[in-house]
Amino acid sequence: MEIIARIRNDFTGKFGVPRQSGLVEEVLSTIVFEPPYRVPEALRGMEGWSHLWLIWQFHRAVRPGWSPTVRPPRLGGNERVGVFATRSPFRPNAIGLSCVRLVAVREEPGLGHVLVVAGADLMDGTPILDIKPYVPYADCRPEATGGFTDDTQKRTVRVECPPELLEKLPEGSRAALLGVLREDPRPAYQDDPERVYGFPFAGHEVRFRVAEGVLRVLEVE
């Protein structure tokens, strides 16, 4: 398979990346096509769709061999579940699937036509293998069940970030950071109120601590 594009955004590491697409709509990403695919005609009619499917590669999870079971963080990191009953990146073929909202199609100097999307759960530089439109009448299934995710509580927190720290980030990245932090990027099985966590975001290192349901940003360096 050929890599047709790569995504560009503020996530240079996997920690902090939203766990699923659409959870943090404030996160904006740019899809930059590889030179052979920078063909305007390939995007003709794209503006008619509100959402897109991205088919991509877990490029930092590629490894020889595979395991038939994995330990989802949502289940505490101890219980094993069949790999095909999860969205774990550690699969026979390290392929991901994400639904994103199309914000804009625009032309950028030296890059040709790019797509601006909201709500992606991909790291900066992630290879994209294909893009398909989201078709509401066929892709939306309100009656669907969510497996073990129906039985596990989604963890969100209240975020406290001093304005002087938030202002260190580019203006366009501030709302995205707050959205990412609200989703509580810690592994689901970790709840140490004294532990300081950190991750790179928008060219800065963000450090925080969580206690009693409140995430407090300590540093933005």
Side-chain angles (χ1 to χ4, degrees):
M1 300 187 75
E2 300 290 334
I3 296 172
I4 66 164
R6 293 183 186 271
I7 202 158
R8 298 299 177 191
N9 58 28
D10 289 328
F11 296 107
T12 56
K14 65 178 183 179
F15 188 86
V17 176
R19 292 183 176 90
Q20 299 292 340
S21 59
L23 289 182
V24 185
E25 280 284 312
E26 298 91 339
V27 171
L28 295 180
S29 304
T30 302
I31 296 174
V32 179
F33 290 89
E34 295 292 288
Y37 304 100
R38 292 178 187 174
V39 183
E41 289 78 10
L43 300 178
R44 185 181 299 165
M46 183 66 79
E47 295 89 344
W49 303 96
S50 67
H51 290 74
L52 305 172
W53 288 111
L54 306 182
I55 301 172
W56 48 279
Q57 183 187 43
F58 289 102
H59 61 304
R60 294 197 184 179
V62 177
R63 57 176 63 178
W66 67 289
S67 171
T69 61
V70 294
R71 294 180 292 185
R74 190 76 175 263
L75 293 176
N78 294 315
E79 183 177 345
R80 285 196 170 272
V81 178
V83 64
F84 299 128
T86 75
R87 293 192 176 186
S88 168
F90 304 110
R91 327 181 63 79
N93 295 304
I95 294 174
L97 177 68
S98 297
C99 180
V100 297
R101 179 169 59 86
L102 178 62
V103 176
V105 181
R106 68 186 185 207
E107 187 173 4
E108 293 194 357
L111 299 178
H113 284 74
V114 303
L115 304 179
V116 181
V117 299
D121 56 342
L122 287 69
M123 290 173 51
D124 181 69
T126 295
I128 296 176
L129 304 175
D130 200 8
I131 299 171
K132 299 179 185 293
Y134 177 94
V135 182
Y137 81 86
D139 295 346
C140 181
R141 298 292 180 181
E143 75 280 8
T145 57
F148 62 81
T149 64
D150 285 344
D151 301 321
T152 54
Q153 185 175 5
K154 182 174 177 288
R155 185 169 68 178
T156 58
V157 293
R158 180 164 60 88
V159 178
E160 293 183 356
C161 181
E164 63 271 19
L165 296 183
L166 194 61
E167 289 169 2
K168 291 184 178 182
L169 293 174
E171 186 173 357
S173 299
R174 296 171 189 172
L177 175 65
L178 295 178
V180 167
L181 295 177
R182 280 196 303 271
E183 291 293 320
D184 193 351
R186 297 176 301 163
Y189 50 85
Q190 291 184 4
D191 193 19
D192 181 356
E194 299 301 319
R195 180 167 179 173
V196 175
Y197 298 85
F199 63 97
F201 183 82
H204 295 264
E205 184 74 16
V206 179
R207 296 186 179 90
F208 65 91
R209 181 183 285 130
V210 184
E212 299 180 349
V214 179
L215 185 153
R216 292 178 173 87
V217 179
L218 306 175
E219 296 178 305
V220 177
E221 295 184 344

